[in-house]
Amino acid sequence: MARAIPRLLLLDGGTEPPAPADCLEDWARVGAADNDVRLRIVGLEVRASMHVQRVPDIDGDGVLRFNGQWVSLPPVEARLARSLVERFGTVVSRDALSRAGWPSSDTGRNALDVHILRLRRRIDPVSLAIRTVRSRGYLLEQSEALRKAN
């Protein structure tokens, strides 16, 4: 996913201001009052926070971080979460999750269901939810409560 980066362009006195490429671009004249420049930067930060999708992160120790919070996951659940995080917001098949959770062996359908249930409970406090997509797999997304808060 491409990162949207806010940009403040500083223009010389005689330079024609460009049309903004997107809502994350603004401009100010070189020598503008510090307060004017600061307010332009604040405006860019506000717009960036509204447009940049937050994506969870999971480190090598199984710590899942999202929305300024974190939760530590046991090894199997960390592997499942890593697979879901890599495809955040899209469906991950049951087969792909089974391979991620148990890379060296086959596991039964029930084992995956049990670990997904446990993972759902563990990630709820960090405002993440796992949705079942019937006959296709699972999807990791921000929780409904967080979407309503934004």
Side-chain angles (χ1 to χ4, degrees):
M1 170 179 4
R3 285 184 32 168
I5 299 173
R7 301 157 317 274
L8 181 64
L9 308 175
L10 298 175
L11 305 177
D12 286 333
T15 305
E16 179 83 20
D22 56 41
C23 69
L24 297 178
E25 185 174 278
D26 203 348
W27 63 271
R29 297 265 179 220
V30 172
D34 288 346
N35 192 44
D36 290 345
V37 173
R38 205 176 353 258
L39 287 173
R40 298 259 185 194
I41 292 171
V42 168
L44 285 168
E45 289 171 344
V46 168
R47 291 192 301 271
S49 71
M50 296 161 105
H51 291 281
V52 177
Q53 180 181 11
R54 289 175 273 181
V55 177
D57 179 58
I58 186 164
D59 66 20
D61 295 319
V63 176
L64 178 67
R65 291 178 176 81
F66 183 68
N67 199 33
Q69 299 175 321
W70 63 273
V71 63
S72 179
L73 301 173
V76 170
E77 291 168 33
R79 290 191 298 269
L80 294 173
R82 190 167 289 110
S83 186
L84 290 163
V85 165
E86 287 171 357
R87 303 215 30 224
F88 185 65
T90 62
V91 177
V92 180
S93 72
R94 291 181 61 85
D95 289 340
L97 286 168
S98 290
R99 287 190 305 273
W102 298 272
S104 59
S105 66
D106 266 346
T107 186
R109 179 181 180 95
N110 190 43
L112 179 60
D113 292 341
V114 167
H115 283 281
I116 290 291
L117 177 63
R118 290 178 183 162
L119 183 56
R120 281 180 166 138
R121 290 177 181 159
R122 288 188 202 279
I123 66 173
D124 184 58
V126 297
S127 303
L128 288 170
I130 298 172
R131 306 283 181 226
T132 302
V133 180
R134 190 175 173 97
S135 301
R136 296 200 43 225
Y138 295 97
L139 178 140
L140 179 65
E141 63 183 5
Q142 65 183 3
S143 70
E144 191 69 30
L146 182 60
R147 272 197 302 270
K148 287 180 181 176
N150 290 334

